[in-house]
Amino acid sequence: MFIVSKLFWVFAQPLSLAFLAILLAVVAILSGLRRVGLALSALAALVLFVTLYTTTGSFVLQGLEARFPKPEGDPQSLGCMIVLGGAFETEVTTTRGGIEMNQAADRFVEALRLARRFPEAVILVSGGDGSLSGDYEGDAVASARFFSTFGIASDRLVRETASRTTAENVTNSRSLLSDRRLDNCLLITSAFHMPRAIGLFRAAGVPVTPWPTDYRTSGTVTLGVDLTQPTLNAQQAATAMREAIGLAAYYLTGRIKVLYPGP
């Protein structure tokens, strides 16, 4: 299932869909199916326009981010937190070492802030190598360097190094939480990813408190044309589409109980 999901996403993301439509259009025209070819060309152009030159991706992503409200203040006390991986550039860190991070770095920045604010809190980092090759260290491995660099004692860190997907994050974390008798942890992940993650933890019977971070939108995005930042628009659209596909896939396969988990 892991390999299937990875390969599916290669072709399902917006720019790949546009490319496939163009490719099929060429085949159709060469085969004498001119109208089919023109229709596929128009479809490709529409996908490219919506992806590159509208705020559709950011608008959808904004809805996902708003599903679980941002906490107004820190908790009174904190015994444990679960940090989902995806914030380290593991292809780079595997060969170069260090703590190179990507756009989701705020997951670990927020965990570090809370770890310093609550020195008794245990930090469970869930994240193995999610690549197809399996050649890289995962976030849980890289996170040990991150937290030690900022003075967080290693005995506060629980590393779950085997998971490759969000579903595996939950399954493997549940076992570690049970072994260490930890419960009611904060769940720290990107705000747009929180609905799917919460849905999985609920289905697994693991109580967690959502602690969204890594916001990608301002919260005031409206649908419209945006010709100024096609690269960002494409990135936002791909992220939103991937999350929507993930929610649908997990719901249809019975891994989450509702299509769009909420508070």
Side-chain angles (χ1 to χ4, degrees):
M1 183 61 72
F2 167 72
I3 295 176
V4 171
S5 66
K6 285 289 186 180
L7 293 177
F8 176 79
W9 178 241
V10 169
F11 299 103
Q13 52 192 299
L15 294 182
S16 292
L17 289 175
F19 172 77
L20 288 173
I22 292 171
L23 185 63
L24 290 173
V26 172
V27 172
I29 291 172
L30 292 176
S31 302
L33 302 173
R34 186 171 179 274
R35 289 186 178 180
V36 174
L38 290 176
L40 287 169
S41 297
L43 175 62
L46 178 62
V47 171
L48 285 174
F49 178 77
V50 171
T51 301
L52 297 172
Y53 299 115
T54 76
T55 60
T56 302
S58 293
F59 185 78
V60 175
L61 207 59
Q62 180 176 264
L64 288 164
E65 290 180 337
R67 190 64 169 166
F68 286 88
K70 186 175 183 178
E72 295 183 358
D74 288 345
Q76 293 289 328
S77 62
L78 179 61
C80 65
M81 63 185 98
I82 303 167
V83 189
L84 300 189
F88 289 92
E89 293 289 353
T90 55
E91 184 175 353
V92 177
T93 62
T94 301
T95 55
R96 297 183 182 275
I99 50 175
E100 303 298 329
M101 306 184 86
N102 58 34
Q103 195 173 357
D106 199 37
R107 299 184 188 187
F108 285 86
V109 173
E110 179 66 3
L112 175 62
R113 184 188 72 81
L114 291 170
R116 296 172 71 107
R117 171 81 168 78
F118 300 98
E120 73 283 0
V122 174
I123 310 161
L124 190 162
V125 178
S126 179
D129 180 9
S131 69
L132 279 173
S133 66
D135 292 336
Y136 309 120
E137 66 179 13
D139 276 51
V141 173
S143 70
R145 296 194 295 273
F146 173 80
F147 285 112
S148 65
T149 297
F150 293 97
I152 303 301
S154 59
D155 60 1
R156 296 179 60 189
L157 187 63
V158 179
R159 298 187 298 167
E160 186 282 294
T161 61
S163 60
R164 302 166 298 175
T165 65
T166 307
E168 291 179 359
N169 285 148
V170 175
T171 299
N172 297 341
S173 295
R174 178 176 59 181
S175 298
L176 290 172
L177 292 171
S178 176
D179 292 344
R180 294 176 177 265
R181 297 182 179 179
L182 299 171
D183 58 10
N184 293 311
C185 299
L186 292 188
L187 175 61
I188 301 175
T189 189
S190 301
F192 65 84
H193 185 240
M194 190 61 74
R196 184 155 56 109
I198 286 290
L200 286 164
F201 273 100
R202 285 175 178 169
V206 180
V208 292
T209 300
W211 201 263
T213 186
D214 176 32
Y215 288 83
R216 308 286 176 92
T217 70
S218 65
T220 60
V221 178
T222 56
L223 279 174
V225 175
D226 177 13
L227 305 178
T228 65
Q229 45 188 5
T231 301
L232 176 61
N233 290 336
Q235 184 181 44
Q236 298 283 77
T239 301
M241 188 169 183
R242 183 170 189 170
E243 204 58 34
I245 290 173
L247 282 166
Y250 280 3
Y251 176 70
L252 292 173
T253 56
R255 295 185 179 186
I256 59 177
K257 296 180 180 180
V258 295
L259 179 59
Y260 194 21

